[in-house]
Amino acid sequence: DITLKSVKSSIRKVTSSTSVQTTDSVILVDAASGSVGLTLPSASLVPGQRFTVKKVDSTGNQINVDGIDKINDTGFYNRTCH
């Protein structure tokens, strides 16, 4: 048996640091004006939720993704994207 859940997709474009919303699915980041920070919500608020972050400018400015939860109880998630 296969059970399919409905798929919801929300696309949001950001140009400055912000918190990722529980309703976000895809975050398009324009970092042309400077580095952009994204703060993930607590995993307990969005169990099983995936977020896709896509840099949409051609600058060398960074996207910093940060969160408060541990992954597999081994450390905090912090990822810098170029």
Side-chain angles (χ1 to χ4, degrees):
D1 292 337
I2 297 174
T3 303
L4 299 176
K5 292 175 65 177
S6 64
V7 177
K8 61 180 180 178
S9 182
S10 170
I11 300 172
R12 181 164 63 122
K13 185 175 182 181
V14 299
T15 57
S16 61
S17 295
T18 188
S19 293
V20 174
Q21 303 300 306
T22 58
T23 55
D24 288 335
S25 295
V26 177
I27 301 102
L28 304 176
V29 181
D30 184 340
S33 297
S35 295
V36 173
L38 298 176
T39 302
L40 297 173
S42 173
S44 65
L45 296 175
V46 287
Q49 173 77 16
R50 291 184 183 195
F51 299 105
T52 301
V53 177
K54 170 76 174 154
K55 189 170 187 289
V56 295
D57 67 90
S58 60
T59 68
N61 295 332
Q62 296 180 345
I63 301 169
N64 299 301
V65 180
D66 213 355
I68 61 170
D69 292 314
K70 294 181 179 182
I71 296 177
N72 296 328
D73 294 322
T74 60
F76 294 97
Y77 178 81
N78 188 338
R79 176 78 175 134
T80 300
C81 308
H82 298 277

